[in-house]
Amino acid sequence: MGDIDLDTGGREALDEALERLRRSSDDPALAIGTAKDLLESVAKFVLEELGMGVQKGAPFNQLWHVVQECLGVLSKNVDTDLAGYKEIRQIHQSSWDIARNVSALRNLQGTGHGRTLPTGVSKELTWLVVREACSVAEYMLRLLDKEQGR
């Protein structure tokens, strides 16, 4: 499927999730499920690093909304005086759309719910899903590092 390059900043739990993702490259359902797991792990990690408790069993969408709010990337909060603010809003919205859609795709085509049919997602599309999930994860980790002065 290709190389997966994501700088986790040496965070062990995230490195483990990333390594699982790399090992799943020949199994689209597993790769999609693992990409969603990585995004969820990143969200929980960010919240813990910011000193916020993570409610046990909190829905994925709720976690990501709080993370985006804490890191200042809710699309509605982009400064309208900034040149390109509409495009930046759309990019922030797209990062949310990627996370949400990876989670939804995992429920429909990935591992984790005991599906009775094989996945219908091609390896090529799986590669796109994985790369986009990694891009969003890395963006949030970079914002966390900036927030914490690293």
Side-chain angles (χ1 to χ4, degrees), residues 109-149:
Q109 294 282 345
T111 55
H113 285 290
R115 291 179 304 102
T116 59
L117 297 173
T119 188
V121 179
S122 69
K123 286 186 179 183
E124 294 80 14
L125 180 56
T126 300
W127 177 237
L128 178 62
V129 170
V130 167
R131 295 296 302 159
E132 293 304 312
C134 287
S135 292
V136 170
E138 187 164 27
Y139 181 52
M140 296 303 163
L141 292 173
R142 286 177 182 254
L143 290 173
L144 173 65
D145 285 347
K146 180 181 175 186
E147 176 79 20
Q148 295 186 324

Side-chain angles (χ1 to χ4, degrees), residues 12-81:
E12 289 183 41
L14 299 180
D15 284 337
E16 287 178 6
L18 187 56
E19 189 53 40
R20 280 191 296 278
L21 189 56
R22 287 182 177 122
R23 288 192 307 263
S24 70
S25 65
D26 290 331
D27 184 341
L30 182 58
I32 290 166
T34 306
K36 185 266 183 179
D37 289 345
L38 174 67
L39 288 171
E40 188 168 2
S41 293
V42 166
K44 289 178 178 180
F45 182 85
V46 167
L47 293 175
E48 288 172 3
E49 285 288 300
L50 293 174
M52 302 186 67
V54 177
Q55 179 185 358
K56 186 174 175 86
F60 181 87
N61 291 353
Q62 179 184 346
L63 290 172
W64 268 92
H65 179 80
V66 174
V67 164
Q68 287 182 298
E69 187 174 42
C70 289
L71 294 177
V73 293
L74 286 177
S75 60
K76 68 180 184 179
N77 294 339
V78 175
D79 181 358
T80 58
D81 291 331

Side-chain angles (χ1 to χ4, degrees), residues 72-108:
V73 293
L74 286 177
S75 60
K76 68 180 184 179
N77 294 339
V78 175
D79 181 358
T80 58
D81 291 331
L82 184 62
Y85 81 92
K86 289 179 184 177
E87 292 76 11
I88 294 168
R89 274 187 180 168
Q90 191 57 49
I91 290 167
H92 283 168
Q93 182 61 44
S94 294
S95 72
W96 160 242
D97 290 343
I98 289 166
R100 181 178 46 81
N101 284 309
V102 168
S103 179
L105 185 60
R106 177 263 186 182
N107 293 340
L108 298 168

